[in-house]
Every structure is written in C-alpha cells, then in structure tokens.
Amino acid sequence: MTEVIVLNGGSSSGKSGIVRCLQAVLADPWLALGTDTLVEAMPASMKASDAGIEFALDGEVSVGPEFRALEAAWIEGVAAMARAGARVIVDEVFLGGAASQQRWQKALRDLRVLWVGVRCDSAVAAGREVARGDRVTGMAASQADVVHRGVVYDLEVDTTHAESMECAQVIAAHVR
C-alpha cells in the first residue's frame, strides 16, 4: 500500500486544500506535513538570514546552509514516521525542481510513494495569493513552473479549474 503521498506545486497552487480533502476521503488516517510546517518550526532568526530562508519583496525565496541542514533532518524525520507506520501526505514546494525531488527520493527510497504534481496557471495562483493576503506577492508566479522542472510524477492534477475535492478524489483513486 501507498505509505507516502508527496504533493509538489508552487505557492497558492491549491496543495493545502487538496491535503485536507485527501484526509477526508482516504479510508485510513494520514498525517499532513509540509514545507510550511518546517518553516513555522524554525526560529524567527532563520527566517531573515542568508544561512536560513529569505523571502524577497518580489516573491523569490532563497535558502542557505542552515536551512538545508534542518531540511535534511526534517525529510529524514518524515521518512522515519512513515517507516514507523504513519501514513504521510507531504505538501512540498520543490524550489530546486529535480534536485529537491532527489533529496526526498533518497530519504523515501524503501517506501511506497505516490508522487503528485499540483499545477495551476500562474495568473490564477497569483490571484489566490492576493486573496489569501498571507504570502509575499510574486511567490505564486515565480514558483508556478520552476518547481516542476525535471520532476517526475506518477500523477498530475491541475487546480486552475478543478476544485480541491475533485483533485483529491483523482489522487485517492491512485492510492493503493
């Protein structure tokens, strides 16, 4: 059976909504963990540091060595939870495209993973970003395509016109 579902998409692409819907439609309990959880767990000093994670005024995100070290531990921790029997849905933003996926693939190498690309037209994602009001303007547009570069998926959904529940049902049909 599938032990981990990894959703990758840009900011405001609809991943979090899909995750909540997946938790509602999947028969077994699934933990929802993601990059936002990791960033929220970090000390404030790392959220404005070259060594940590920085959010530029134009929406660009850059990460440094301290962030990468904590991220590596985080990824291994998520994999350990799955190995211990927790089913996990990962809500991710592969800023490094294929290189980001490779970090996860290494950690999840012995687990059954469903890789899902969550796409959304950059203009639609940008509109959601503005409506949310909790994101740096420009993140959605800058991430819409770059997060998918070189990434290999088992399945892709597009939230440009599809609702979260519809996407979750498509994904759930592929969970074995």
Side-chain angles (χ1 to χ4, degrees):
M1 290 197 61
T2 304
E3 297 162 302
V4 179
I5 301 168
V6 177
L7 301 180
N8 173 52
S11 179
S12 300
S13 63
K15 297 179 308 298
S16 298
I18 292 172
V19 169
R20 286 188 297 276
C21 291
L22 278 169
Q23 288 179 306
V25 300
L26 292 169
D28 298 312
W30 287 73
L31 294 176
L33 301 168
T35 193
D36 287 346
T37 312
L38 170 61
V39 172
E40 289 168 13
M42 291 181 173
S45 62
M46 283 194 61
K47 297 176 191 168
S49 159
D50 290 356
I53 185 167
E54 291 186 289
F55 301 92
L57 295 177
D58 64 357
E60 287 295 320
V61 179
S62 57
V63 297
E66 287 179 7
F67 177 90
R68 284 285 180 231
L70 288 177
E71 179 191 45
W74 163 261
I75 291 171
E76 289 296 333
V78 171
M81 284 190 282
R83 283 188 199 94
R87 290 198 169 159
V88 181
I89 305 168
V90 178
D91 175 343
E92 256 295 354
V93 180
F94 289 168
L95 293 174
S100 297
Q101 184 181 35
Q102 289 166 2
R103 287 192 290 276
W104 278 98
Q105 286 171 325
K106 181 181 175 192
L108 301 173
R109 66 193 164 279
D110 56 339
L111 296 165
R112 288 173 295 259
V113 181
L114 180 65
W115 297 93
V116 181
V118 179
R119 294 192 181 267
C120 183
D121 178 82
S122 62
V124 172
R128 291 176 185 167
E129 176 179 72
V130 170
R132 288 174 70 157
D134 65 348
R135 301 290 161 130
V136 176
T137 303
M139 273 201 321
S142 71
Q143 295 175 2
D145 294 319
V146 72
V147 300
H148 299 291
R149 286 193 190 134
V151 178
V152 177
Y153 298 112
D154 298 309
L155 174 67
E156 292 188 43
V157 295
D158 191 324
T159 65
T160 303
H161 302 292
E163 294 295 324
S164 296
M165 183 57 80
E166 180 183 346
C167 293
Q169 290 169 333
V170 169
I171 296 165
H174 288 80
V175 173
R176 300 184 193 333

